[in-house]
Amino acid sequence: EVCLYRMRPTEKYELFEEEGLSHIPFNLSHHTNNERYSICGLPSLYLASSAYGCWMEMNSPRIETVNIALFKPQNDIKFLDLCYPNENELYDKRRIMLLPIIVACDMPVKYPEANYKYEYTIPQLILESLVKYRNEKMNGQVLGIRYISVKRKTTNLAYSNKSYKRLYYNYVFPPVEIKYEGQCPVIKNSFKFIRATSSFYMQNVEHELPIIKKYNDRYEQGLFYRLECHLGNEMLVYDS
Protein backbone atom coordinates (compact mmCIF):
# COMPACT_ATOMS: atom_id res chain seq x y z
CA GLU A 1 0.00 0.00 0.00
CA VAL A 2 1.40 3.38 -1.04
CA CYS A 3 1.63 6.00 1.71
CA LEU A 4 2.47 9.61 0.83
CA TYR A 5 3.02 12.49 3.21
CA ARG A 6 2.63 16.25 3.29
CA MET A 7 3.77 18.84 5.84
CA ARG A 8 2.61 22.31 6.73
CA PRO A 9 4.57 24.44 9.21
CA THR A 10 2.85 26.33 11.99
CA GLU A 11 4.09 27.92 15.21
CA LYS A 12 0.83 27.14 17.01
CA TYR A 13 -0.17 23.88 18.67
CA GLU A 14 -2.97 23.24 16.18
CA LEU A 15 -3.99 20.66 13.61
CA PHE A 16 -5.27 21.60 10.16
CA GLU A 17 -8.21 19.95 8.45
CA GLU A 18 -7.92 18.34 5.01
CA GLU A 19 -8.50 21.64 3.17
CA GLY A 20 -5.56 23.17 5.03
CA LEU A 21 -3.24 20.33 4.03
CA SER A 22 -4.18 19.91 0.38
CA HIS A 23 -2.87 22.25 -2.32
CA ILE A 24 -3.26 26.02 -1.96
CA PRO A 25 -6.87 27.01 -2.85
CA PHE A 26 -7.33 28.64 -6.26
CA ASN A 27 -8.61 31.85 -4.67
CA LEU A 28 -5.25 32.10 -2.86
CA SER A 29 -3.09 31.24 -5.87
CA HIS A 30 -1.30 34.58 -5.50
CA HIS A 31 0.56 32.94 -2.60
CA THR A 32 2.25 30.36 -4.85
CA ASN A 33 5.97 30.76 -5.49
CA ASN A 34 8.43 29.91 -8.21
CA GLU A 35 10.15 26.73 -7.07
CA ARG A 36 11.77 23.75 -8.78
CA TYR A 37 8.45 22.18 -9.76
CA SER A 38 6.22 25.15 -9.05
CA ILE A 39 4.92 27.94 -11.26
CA CYS A 40 3.46 31.14 -9.85
CA GLY A 41 -0.34 31.05 -10.01
CA LEU A 42 -0.58 27.27 -10.39
CA PRO A 43 -1.33 25.64 -7.00
CA SER A 44 -0.19 22.01 -7.04
CA LEU A 45 -0.28 19.18 -4.55
CA TYR A 46 3.17 18.16 -3.30
CA LEU A 47 3.67 14.83 -1.55
CA ALA A 48 6.69 12.88 -0.36
CA SER A 49 7.53 9.25 0.32
CA SER A 50 8.48 9.86 3.97
CA ALA A 51 7.92 12.23 6.86
CA TYR A 52 11.64 12.96 6.99
CA GLY A 53 11.67 13.79 3.28
CA CYS A 54 8.85 16.29 3.87
CA TRP A 55 10.71 17.87 6.75
CA MET A 56 13.89 18.33 4.70
CA GLU A 57 11.92 19.83 1.79
CA MET A 58 10.38 22.34 4.23
CA ASN A 59 13.90 23.34 5.36
CA SER A 60 13.57 21.61 8.75
CA PRO A 61 10.73 23.54 10.45
CA ARG A 62 9.97 23.27 14.16
CA ILE A 63 9.17 19.59 14.58
CA GLU A 64 6.96 19.94 17.67
CA THR A 65 4.22 21.87 15.91
CA VAL A 66 4.59 21.17 12.17
CA ASN A 67 1.60 19.29 10.77
CA ILE A 68 2.23 16.02 8.96
CA ALA A 69 -0.60 14.40 6.97
CA LEU A 70 -1.01 11.00 5.36
CA PHE A 71 -2.51 10.65 1.87
CA LYS A 72 -3.18 7.36 0.09
CA PRO A 73 -3.87 7.04 -3.66
CA GLN A 74 -7.41 5.87 -4.38
CA ASN A 75 -6.29 4.03 -7.51
CA ASP A 76 -3.10 3.38 -9.45
CA ILE A 77 -1.63 6.80 -10.17
CA LYS A 78 0.21 7.33 -13.45
CA PHE A 79 3.08 9.79 -13.31
CA LEU A 80 6.13 10.86 -15.28
CA ASP A 81 9.06 9.26 -13.47
CA LEU A 82 12.06 11.61 -13.31
CA CYS A 83 14.00 9.52 -10.81
CA TYR A 84 17.25 7.82 -11.74
CA PRO A 85 16.70 4.32 -13.16
CA ASN A 86 17.40 1.40 -10.86
CA GLU A 87 19.48 -1.66 -11.77
CA ASN A 88 16.51 -3.39 -13.39
CA GLU A 89 15.90 -0.41 -15.70
CA LEU A 90 19.47 0.09 -16.96
CA TYR A 91 18.60 -1.57 -20.26
CA ASP A 92 15.26 0.18 -20.71
CA LYS A 93 15.79 2.59 -23.61
CA ARG A 94 12.95 4.85 -22.52
CA ARG A 95 14.45 5.27 -19.06
CA ILE A 96 17.97 5.82 -20.44
CA MET A 97 16.70 8.49 -22.84
CA LEU A 98 15.33 10.41 -19.86
CA LEU A 99 18.71 10.55 -18.10
CA PRO A 100 19.84 13.94 -19.49
CA ILE A 101 16.51 15.48 -18.40
CA ILE A 102 16.75 13.85 -14.98
CA VAL A 103 20.26 15.22 -14.48
CA ALA A 104 19.19 18.69 -15.66
CA CYS A 105 16.34 18.70 -13.12
CA ASP A 106 18.58 17.52 -10.30
CA MET A 107 20.99 20.44 -10.04
CA PRO A 108 21.35 22.03 -6.57
CA VAL A 109 20.68 25.78 -6.50
CA LYS A 110 23.95 27.70 -6.70
CA TYR A 111 22.57 31.04 -5.47
CA PRO A 112 19.74 30.36 -2.99
CA GLU A 113 19.02 34.04 -2.35
CA ALA A 114 18.76 34.98 -6.05
CA ASN A 115 15.38 35.98 -7.51
CA TYR A 116 16.04 33.93 -10.64
CA LYS A 117 17.28 30.38 -10.21
CA TYR A 118 18.23 28.88 -13.56
CA GLU A 119 18.18 25.40 -11.99
CA TYR A 120 14.37 25.66 -11.89
CA THR A 121 13.93 26.40 -15.61
CA ILE A 122 13.75 22.86 -16.99
CA PRO A 123 11.63 21.37 -14.17
CA GLN A 124 9.14 24.22 -14.61
CA LEU A 125 9.04 23.68 -18.38
CA ILE A 126 8.32 19.98 -17.83
CA LEU A 127 5.53 20.79 -15.38
CA GLU A 128 4.07 23.30 -17.84
CA SER A 129 4.29 20.72 -20.65
CA LEU A 130 2.41 18.19 -18.54
CA VAL A 131 -0.41 20.67 -17.90
CA LYS A 132 -0.56 21.53 -21.61
CA TYR A 133 -0.57 17.84 -22.58
CA ARG A 134 -3.51 17.13 -20.29
CA ASN A 135 -5.43 20.14 -21.60
CA GLU A 136 -5.00 19.02 -25.20
CA LYS A 137 -5.76 15.36 -24.49
CA MET A 138 -8.93 15.20 -22.44
CA ASN A 139 -8.24 11.55 -21.66
CA GLY A 140 -4.65 12.20 -20.58
CA GLN A 141 -3.92 9.79 -17.74
CA VAL A 142 -0.62 11.20 -16.44
CA LEU A 143 -1.52 12.89 -13.17
CA GLY A 144 1.85 14.17 -11.97
CA ILE A 145 5.61 13.86 -11.77
CA ARG A 146 7.83 11.86 -9.47
CA TYR A 147 11.35 13.18 -8.83
CA ILE A 148 14.21 12.63 -6.38
CA SER A 149 14.76 15.34 -3.78
CA VAL A 150 17.81 17.55 -4.28
CA LYS A 151 17.90 17.87 -0.48
CA ARG A 152 19.48 14.40 -0.39
CA LYS A 153 22.72 16.06 -1.53
CA THR A 154 23.04 18.23 1.59
CA THR A 155 25.73 17.39 4.12
CA ASN A 156 23.63 17.50 7.30
CA LEU A 157 21.38 14.53 6.58
CA ALA A 158 20.38 12.29 9.45
CA TYR A 159 19.85 9.47 6.93
CA SER A 160 22.16 9.18 3.95
CA ASN A 161 20.68 8.88 0.48
CA LYS A 162 22.89 5.87 -0.22
CA SER A 163 21.35 3.82 2.58
CA TYR A 164 17.89 5.43 2.74
CA LYS A 165 17.06 6.27 -0.85
CA ARG A 166 13.38 5.43 -0.25
CA LEU A 167 13.01 8.52 1.95
CA TYR A 168 13.71 11.06 -0.78
CA TYR A 169 11.06 10.58 -3.47
CA ASN A 170 8.82 13.58 -4.15
CA TYR A 171 5.63 13.96 -6.17
CA VAL A 172 3.94 16.97 -7.72
CA PHE A 173 0.36 16.88 -8.99
CA PRO A 174 -0.73 20.04 -10.84
CA PRO A 175 -4.48 20.77 -11.00
CA VAL A 176 -6.54 19.15 -13.74
CA GLU A 177 -9.61 21.36 -13.32
CA ILE A 178 -9.03 24.97 -12.32
CA LYS A 179 -11.84 26.67 -10.40
CA TYR A 180 -12.42 30.18 -9.05
CA GLU A 181 -11.91 28.93 -5.51
CA GLY A 182 -11.30 25.75 -3.54
CA GLN A 183 -9.20 22.88 -4.82
CA CYS A 184 -9.01 20.66 -7.86
CA PRO A 185 -11.73 17.96 -7.57
CA VAL A 186 -9.76 15.50 -9.71
CA ILE A 187 -6.66 15.73 -7.54
CA LYS A 188 -8.74 15.66 -4.37
CA ASN A 189 -10.63 12.54 -5.46
CA SER A 190 -7.41 10.81 -6.49
CA PHE A 191 -6.10 10.71 -2.93
CA LYS A 192 -7.69 9.76 0.36
CA PHE A 193 -6.79 12.05 3.23
CA ILE A 194 -6.28 9.76 6.22
CA ARG A 195 -5.52 12.25 8.98
CA ALA A 196 -2.98 14.75 10.29
CA THR A 197 -0.91 14.93 13.43
CA SER A 198 2.14 16.62 14.91
CA SER A 199 4.88 15.51 17.25
CA PHE A 200 3.20 17.40 20.11
CA TYR A 201 -0.22 15.83 19.48
CA MET A 202 1.20 12.35 19.02
CA GLN A 203 3.13 12.42 22.28
CA ASN A 204 0.77 14.42 24.50
CA VAL A 205 -2.78 14.13 23.14
CA GLU A 206 -3.03 10.98 21.01
CA HIS A 207 -0.44 8.92 22.85
CA GLU A 208 -0.40 5.17 22.23
CA LEU A 209 1.52 2.66 24.35
CA PRO A 210 4.34 0.83 22.49
CA ILE A 211 4.85 -2.91 22.43
CA ILE A 212 7.94 -4.95 21.54
CA LYS A 213 9.48 -5.25 18.08
CA LYS A 214 12.84 -5.42 16.31
CA TYR A 215 13.77 -2.62 13.94
CA ASN A 216 14.64 -3.15 10.28
CA ASP A 217 16.95 -0.13 10.15
CA ARG A 218 17.95 3.05 12.00
CA TYR A 219 15.15 5.13 10.46
CA GLU A 220 12.57 3.00 12.23
CA GLN A 221 14.08 4.01 15.58
CA GLY A 222 13.42 7.71 15.04
CA LEU A 223 10.62 10.22 15.48
CA PHE A 224 9.71 10.50 11.80
CA TYR A 225 8.93 6.81 11.49
CA ARG A 226 6.88 7.04 14.68
CA LEU A 227 4.84 9.80 13.06
CA GLU A 228 4.31 7.67 9.94
CA CYS A 229 3.15 4.68 11.99
CA HIS A 230 0.91 6.87 14.11
CA LEU A 231 -0.78 8.33 11.02
CA GLY A 232 -1.35 4.85 9.64
CA ASN A 233 -2.79 3.61 12.94
CA GLU A 234 0.03 1.10 13.22
CA MET A 235 1.14 0.08 16.69
CA LEU A 236 4.73 1.21 17.25
CA VAL A 237 6.92 -1.25 19.11
CA TYR A 238 10.39 -1.24 20.63
CA ASP A 239 13.10 -3.73 21.48
CA SER A 240 13.08 -4.97 25.05
Side-chain angles (χ1 to χ4, degrees):
E1 187 177 31
V2 178
C3 294
L4 300 175
Y5 304 91
R6 179 168 169 81
M7 271 190 179
R8 179 176 173 182
T10 176
E11 291 301 317
K12 299 179 181 179
Y13 293 95
E14 62 180 340
L15 289 183
F16 295 106
E17 300 293 334
E18 178 180 1
E19 288 72 18
L21 285 159
S22 186
H23 71 72
I24 294 175
F26 293 119
N27 50 301
L28 298 177
S29 60
H30 52 280
H31 290 303
T32 55
N33 297 320
N34 270 322
E35 301 291 347
R36 188 173 300 269
Y37 285 94
S38 174
I39 302 171
C40 279
L42 186 70
S44 300
L45 178 64
Y46 297 89
L47 301 172
S49 60
S50 70
Y52 181 71
C54 284
W55 189 67
M56 289 300 296
E57 286 294 323
M58 300 300 295
N59 295 316
S60 310
R62 185 185 175 196
I63 192 61
E64 291 81 11
T65 56
V66 67
N67 276 216
I68 173 77
L70 170 61
F71 289 83
K72 293 185 178 181
Q74 295 282 59
N75 300 295
D76 290 336
I77 300 295
K78 291 187 178 181
F79 51 80
L80 174 63
D81 193 355
L82 293 182
C83 294
Y84 291 97
N86 57 40
E87 294 180 358
N88 297 326
E89 298 173 321
L90 289 178
Y91 300 100
D92 187 330
K93 290 184 178 180
R94 293 174 299 179
R95 299 290 292 139
I96 298 302
M97 289 175 63
L98 279 175
L99 266 177
I101 295 177
I102 294 172
V103 173
C105 292
D106 192 39
M107 294 187 296
V109 173
K110 188 174 183 179
Y111 304 107
E113 303 303 321
N115 292 327
Y116 168 65
K117 300 177 178 65
Y118 62 83
E119 300 88 351
Y120 292 173
T121 302
I122 294 179
Q124 289 178 351
L125 285 173
I126 294 173
L127 184 67
E128 186 177 359
S129 298
L130 172 60
V131 174
K132 183 179 180 181
Y133 165 80
R134 290 193 317 202
N135 289 340
E136 292 177 350
K137 296 182 179 293
M138 298 303 294
N139 60 345
Q141 299 296 313
V142 181
L143 196 64
I145 300 170
R146 183 175 80 155
Y147 59 100
I148 191 77
S149 174
V150 177
K151 297 287 186 180
R152 77 191 191 284
K153 298 182 178 182
T154 58
T155 57
N156 61 338
L157 291 176
Y159 307 100
S160 69
N161 174 61
K162 183 178 180 180
S163 301
Y164 297 93
K165 185 178 180 180
R166 70 182 190 276
L167 305 180
Y168 299 104
Y169 292 113
N170 292 334
Y171 299 79
V172 55
F173 300 99
V176 178
E177 297 180 15
I178 297 178
K179 307 289 185 180
Y180 288 106
E181 59 183 16
Q183 286 141 344
C184 173
V186 176
I187 297 297
K188 187 173 183 178
N189 293 333
S190 297
F191 298 92
K192 182 179 180 180
F193 172 80
I194 305 302
R195 63 169 173 158
T197 192
S198 68
S199 174
F200 174 82
Y201 267 81
M202 181 183 70
Q203 297 181 70
N204 298 287
V205 180
E206 307 165 331
H207 184 64
E208 296 173 350
L209 294 175
I211 55 178
I212 297 175
K213 174 200 172 189
K214 290 184 178 180
Y215 302 110
N216 293 317
D217 56 35
R218 190 166 60 85
Y219 183 70
E220 294 188 1
Q221 301 178 38
L223 173 62
F224 294 101
Y225 184 72
R226 290 184 62 198
L227 287 165
E228 293 175 13
C229 289
H230 184 69
L231 286 170
N233 287 317
E234 298 177 24
M235 198 57 141
L236 246 191
V237 289
Y238 298 91
D239 286 319
S240 57

